[in-house]
Amino acid sequence: MALSIANYTKAIRSTLNVALCIREFPSELVEKHIKPEIEVFDTHKDSRPLIFQPITISRSEKERCLIEGSVNSVRVSFTIKKSDDLERLIVGRFSAFFGTRAELYEIVRKKPIEGYDVSFLILNSHLEKFNRDMIIDFLVEFIESVEKDISEIKLNINTQTRIAATFFINAIANPSANP
């Protein structure tokens, strides 16, 4: 059953509020370095005690959020609803846009985890630099606005396509009117 956007974002907000209780924790695998345990776990399955149970919040079958927490980092991944080929193209470009500008946003991963469109990695250093509520608000506003943005882009593409098709049909229908 599909959740409304308000219920979906409320569930994400409350889960992130709990999951973002992280602290500085040196890596058990990489000496004298603070590595995000959620990322280290992907390559070394030995750090299992430091990883929390992943939580999936689904709005529908095609739209979901995965929150993976550890003692020193949280990874948040979103799948954005794609109902047709045009939306798949738009979401693919949108994901590529965020991936290429990951340094500007600091918490965006360059490459989302498999099966998801956009991933964020939040470290203890981000919580020291930014307020936890600011990060949660950013993620919730992101997921609320992305659906609107994709709908707007889709409408603009359809409008431009209709105008181009009308111009093309008129040019074929009236060949003498062409300069």
Side-chain angles (χ1 to χ4, degrees), residues 13 36-37 42 113 116 145 149 165 172 179:
R13 183 182 297 278
E37 290 296 322
D42 289 342
I113 63 171
Y116 289 86
S145 67
D149 293 342
I172 290 175

Side-chain angles (χ1 to χ4, degrees), residues 164-178:
T166 303
F167 181 78
F168 183 71
I169 295 297
N170 287 339
I172 290 175
N174 300 324
S176 60
N178 292 335

Side-chain angles (χ1 to χ4, degrees), residues 27 29 35-54 68-70 72-73 75:
S27 177
L29 297 172
K35 295 282 186 183
E37 290 296 322
I38 198 71
E39 299 283 316
V40 172
F41 177 68
D42 289 342
T43 55
H44 303 299
K45 303 295 181 189
D46 303 340
S47 63
R48 184 69 192 149
L50 303 174
I51 307 297
F52 308 137
Q53 187 70 32
E68 301 169 290
S70 72
N72 66 353
S73 59
R75 184 168 51 197

Side-chain angles (χ1 to χ4, degrees), residues 20-175:
L20 287 177
C21 293
I22 56 180
R23 63 187 179 94
E24 189 172 316
F25 189 84
S27 177
E28 292 183 344
L29 297 172
V30 184
E31 191 174 329
K32 296 184 180 181
H33 288 281
I34 298 175
K35 295 282 186 183
E37 290 296 322
I38 198 71
E39 299 283 316
V40 172
F41 177 68
D42 289 342
T43 55
H44 303 299
K45 303 295 181 189
D46 303 340
S47 63
R48 184 69 192 149
L50 303 174
I51 307 297
F52 308 137
Q53 187 70 32
I55 299 169
T56 303
I57 302 169
S58 296
R59 183 174 178 203
S60 66
E61 290 180 16
K62 297 180 180 180
E63 192 171 7
R64 64 187 187 278
C65 171
L66 175 67
I67 301 173
E68 301 169 290
S70 72
V71 70
N72 66 353
S73 59
V74 175
R75 184 168 51 197
V76 182
S77 303
F78 293 103
T79 297
I80 301 166
K81 182 182 72 170
K82 303 172 283 284
S83 58
D84 59 13
D85 288 336
L86 182 57
E87 284 185 1
R88 276 189 277 287
L89 177 71
I90 293 169
V91 169
R93 295 292 183 184
F94 194 75
S95 297
F97 173 83
F98 266 100
T100 57
R101 288 155 182 83
E103 290 86 18
L104 296 175
Y105 292 101
E106 291 189 38
I107 64 172
V108 177
R109 290 185 79 223
K110 288 185 180 183
K111 185 177 178 202
I113 63 171
E114 191 172 327
Y116 289 86
D117 299 313
V118 180
S119 291
F120 300 90
L121 180 65
I122 304 163
L123 307 172
N124 181 52
S125 60
H126 296 132
L127 292 178
E128 291 172 356
K129 186 174 182 181
F130 306 109
N131 185 350
R132 175 171 44 163
D133 293 330
M134 280 178 45
I135 292 175
I136 293 172
D137 288 342
F138 170 76
L139 293 172
V140 169
E141 286 174 17
F142 168 80
I143 201 62
E144 287 175 342
S145 67
V146 74
E147 190 174 313
K148 294 177 204 168
D149 293 342
I150 290 172
S151 296
E152 273 183 32
I153 292 169
K154 188 175 177 182
L155 283 172
N156 286 341
I157 289 172
N158 287 336
T159 302
Q160 291 174 4
T161 304
R162 190 176 304 113
I163 291 169
T166 303
F167 181 78
F168 183 71
I169 295 297
N170 287 339
I172 290 175
N174 300 324

